[in-house]
Amino acid sequence: AWFKIAHQTGIGRSAVRLVPTDADGRMDAQALQQALRDDMAHGSRPVMVVATAGTTGAGMIDPLRACAQAAHEAGAWFHVDAAWGGALICSDRLRACLDGIEAADSVTIDAHKWFATTMGCGMFLTRHEHVLADTFRVETGYMHSNNPGLDPYVTSVQWSRRFLGLRLFLSLAAAGWDGYASHVEHAIALAEHLRARLAADGWRIVNESPLAVVCAEPPDGYPPARLIVREVVASGHAWISTTVFGGRDVVRMCITNGRTTVNDVNVLVDTLQGNGRRPQHAGRDRQMHHQA
């Protein structure tokens, strides 16, 4: 995504630096500090550090506080991509997983992901209101108002846009903050159940994510991950995918649908064990849904 952003904004893809991750798939804070020092030593000026709160593939959360410190020491803007994992803020019990996000200069969260609104509804949050004003202010006689502090519609590329915020507003009005907390905690509880069942059957869980995503390698003697996924999807009992973690193909299972039940998880595990054969207790077809 950031290569696309660099390309679209005109600074060029060569301006993007990729930072190594540790063995757990999180950004290596020491490697980040070294990369910043190296760039500055060679005459480059770091302008932004982007940490991720919930990677798409494995649901990993970067060390946000350490990344914030490195960014601010370098005089760079610190942005947190919490497009998916940002929903953890709804839960008093789980919010600590996002420790350090409060140090961000800006945050993105996609409401059409774990906030369960319809596509597309994204949020950009920043503590620096003047930056929005300076970026988008244009003087023209045919706009009745051009005060970004009073008219949020001005702080975007377009001056006319759909009322996308209504989708999140209505969801909050119906479910409330506590309802969203229950929604997130329910998904994570199901993911814990999924991990336990897979581990008991000899699968190796490769990601230690606080989010509702489980990446696992099949036991010895099983078909490759991609073949297993293809058979499970073809069975119609569940929708899963493959991803690459630690340089290897793994099976990725993500729970974001609030209607997913323990039985759905059990059906998935039984289908994995049966290489796509319909489990005896499956009942009517149900599906686990994945959102990237």
Side-chain angles (χ1 to χ4, degrees):
W2 289 97
F3 281 106
K4 289 176 62 179
I5 291 167
H7 184 89
Q8 291 170 334
T9 56
I11 64 174
R13 299 183 183 220
S14 62
V16 178
R17 299 287 189 270
L18 297 180
V19 180
T21 56
D22 59 22
D24 294 321
R26 301 178 179 91
M27 184 184 292
D28 186 326
Q30 292 184 340
L32 169 63
Q33 290 178 325
Q34 187 61 50
L36 291 167
R37 287 194 292 264
D38 290 346
D39 272 349
M40 290 186 287
H42 289 87
S44 296
R45 179 183 176 185
V47 295
M48 178 184 290
V49 170
V50 179
T52 304
T55 59
T56 301
M60 309 311 297
I61 298 177
D62 290 334
L64 303 181
R65 192 168 297 282
C67 292
Q69 180 178 350
H72 294 155
E73 287 177 353
W77 184 282
F78 179 52
H79 177 76
V80 176
D81 179 352
W84 173 33
L88 288 177
I89 62 173
C90 301
S91 169
D92 291 339
R93 180 169 61 87
L94 301 169
R95 190 177 301 134
C97 296
L98 298 175
D99 178 57
I101 198 171
E102 67 277 8
D105 294 294
S106 58
V107 178
T108 51
I109 302 176
D110 284 343
H112 58 250
K113 292 184 178 173
W114 218 358
F115 276 90
T117 69
T118 54
M119 286 285 289
C121 183
M123 294 174 278
F124 174 83
L125 311 173
T126 180
R127 63 178 73 250
H128 305 292
E129 182 180 354
H130 71 281
V131 172
L132 292 178
D134 293 343
T135 300
F136 293 103
R137 178 177 289 116
V138 176
E139 299 296 333
T140 181
Y142 55 81
M143 296 299 293
H144 295 294
S145 174
N146 197 26
N147 186 336
L150 298 177
D151 298 310
Y153 74 89
V154 176
T155 56
S156 66
V157 175
Q158 67 271 41
W159 271 335
S160 299
R161 61 182 179 182
R162 292 169 293 170
F163 187 9
L164 300 179
L166 180 62
R167 300 172 182 179
L168 179 58
F169 174 83
L170 291 176
S171 296
L172 282 167
W177 203 246
D178 291 340
Y180 268 119
S182 298
H183 168 70
V184 170
E185 292 170 3
H186 171 71
I188 290 176
L190 290 178
E192 292 172 352
H193 174 69
L194 175 58
R195 290 188 188 95
R197 280 221 53 190
L198 289 174
D201 289 335
W203 289 66
R204 189 173 76 86
I205 309 302
V206 300
N207 67 323
E208 296 182 8
S209 170
L211 305 181
V213 59
V214 180
C215 296
E217 286 185 321
D220 292 339
Y222 271 57
R226 291 187 179 275
L227 179 57
I228 292 175
V229 167
R230 184 163 64 245
E231 292 180 344
V232 170
V233 173
S235 76
H237 302 154
W239 198 99
I240 58 177
S241 62
T242 57
T243 191
V244 177
F245 191 87
R248 301 184 303 277
D249 286 343
V250 297
V251 178
R252 179 185 185 275
M253 295 149 281
C254 179
I255 303 169
T256 55
N257 191 314
R259 296 181 178 181
T260 305
T261 67
V262 171
N263 185 63
D264 294 325
V265 174
N266 291 336
V267 168
L268 168 62
V269 175
D270 292 344
T271 306
L272 287 167
Q273 295 296 84
N275 292 321
R277 292 190 298 273
R278 183 177 178 83
Q280 294 298 315
H281 69 280
R284 67 187 182 90
D285 285 342
R286 299 176 64 93
Q287 291 185 338
M288 297 176 66
H289 295 261
H290 153 70
Q291 291 177 326

